Amino acid sequence: MTTRSLRLFTLLAVLAGTAAPGALAQPRPLQVLADGSEIAFTTRQLGVPVEGRFTRFEARIALDPRRPETGSVGFTIDTGSARFGSPELDAEVPKPTWLDVARFPRARFRSTAIRSTGVGRFAVSGKLEIKGQAQDVVVPVQIAPAEGPGQASTASGSFTIRRLAFKVGEGEWTDTSMLADEVQVHFKLALAGLAPP
């Protein structure tokens, strides 16, 4: 081995030894099970709760509860799958005033940081994009471990967004005395392959 080759080998060895641990050992992706998973939301019209849900979404989650900072979370939601259980509302929501599904068929969330806030509890910071508008959000998540072999763990939580920040409900619907600005998003995800805390 030449002197130049020896120096290059030594440099590579030093760099490998000082690389960030998170970059060397990313957690494996988890399987999100459709059965037992849901994303729902609640708003208020004239003070009366109105509940809905999204029936189609994809989630990509990689998380080691012992090293949450190495994990990542990503969601893609089909905005055209919003359902209220009312034919009139279901037909109204895709229109430009609301979710404008023709122009914005997907809503997205991408995590930027994950930190532990207690045993089985995490704060997931990230960017939420709806109708072309992006906002920073922090999502609290609680994980219940699987109760037995072959069973799924459960991740659940809720957080509040302001619909007007995403231009959902334009024109006369910007009047928050008619329809509340706050929308509570709540979710439950069945996860396979999650390591114990």
Side-chain angles (χ1 to χ4, degrees):
M1 180 180 289
T2 66
T3 302
R4 182 177 180 181
S5 298
L6 180 60
R7 288 175 179 170
L8 179 60
F9 178 80
T10 302
L11 176 61
L12 291 174
V14 169
L15 290 175
T18 58
L24 297 176
Q26 296 293 319
R28 290 186 300 177
L30 305 176
Q31 183 181 4
V32 180
L33 307 176
D35 187 18
S37 298
E38 66 174 10
I39 297 178
F41 50 90
T42 304
T43 186
R44 288 181 173 272
Q45 185 173 357
L46 298 175
V48 178
V50 178
E51 298 185 352
R53 63 191 177 94
F54 290 103
T55 61
R56 293 190 300 273
F57 60 89
E58 295 179 358
R60 291 168 298 284
I61 300 173
L63 178 67
D64 179 349
R66 291 163 292 191
R67 300 172 64 238
E69 67 281 359
T70 65
S72 63
V73 176
F75 277 88
T76 302
I77 299 171
D78 183 340
T79 55
S81 73
R83 295 292 182 270
F84 289 89
S86 161
E88 293 80 7
L89 285 177
D90 291 349
E92 189 70 20
V93 169
K95 295 180 179 180
T97 298
W98 302 100
L99 292 178
D100 199 355
V101 171
R103 291 182 60 203
F104 305 103
R106 304 283 183 271
R108 294 180 174 84
F109 173 81
R110 297 288 180 272
S111 67
T112 54
I114 304 175
R115 63 182 177 85
S116 174
T117 57
V119 178
R121 296 177 181 272
F122 306 90
V124 181
S125 301
K127 190 83 68 176
L128 177 64
E129 181 181 341
I130 303 173
K131 204 176 176 181
Q133 307 299 311
Q135 297 286 324
D136 293 320
V137 297
V138 178
V139 182
V141 180
Q142 181 173 355
I143 294 181
E147 296 182 357
Q151 298 197 18
S153 303
T154 302
S156 60
S158 64
F159 61 101
T160 300
I161 63 173
R162 295 186 178 274
R163 65 178 178 86
L164 294 179
F166 298 98
K167 297 186 178 179
V168 176
E170 299 185 73
E172 64 178 320
W173 292 102
T174 58
D175 182 355
T176 56
S177 67
M178 296 174 61
L179 184 67
D181 191 15
E182 296 80 9
V183 178
Q184 186 180 51
V185 180
H186 34 101
F187 60 90
K188 181 176 68 174
L189 304 172
L191 304 174
L194 185 66

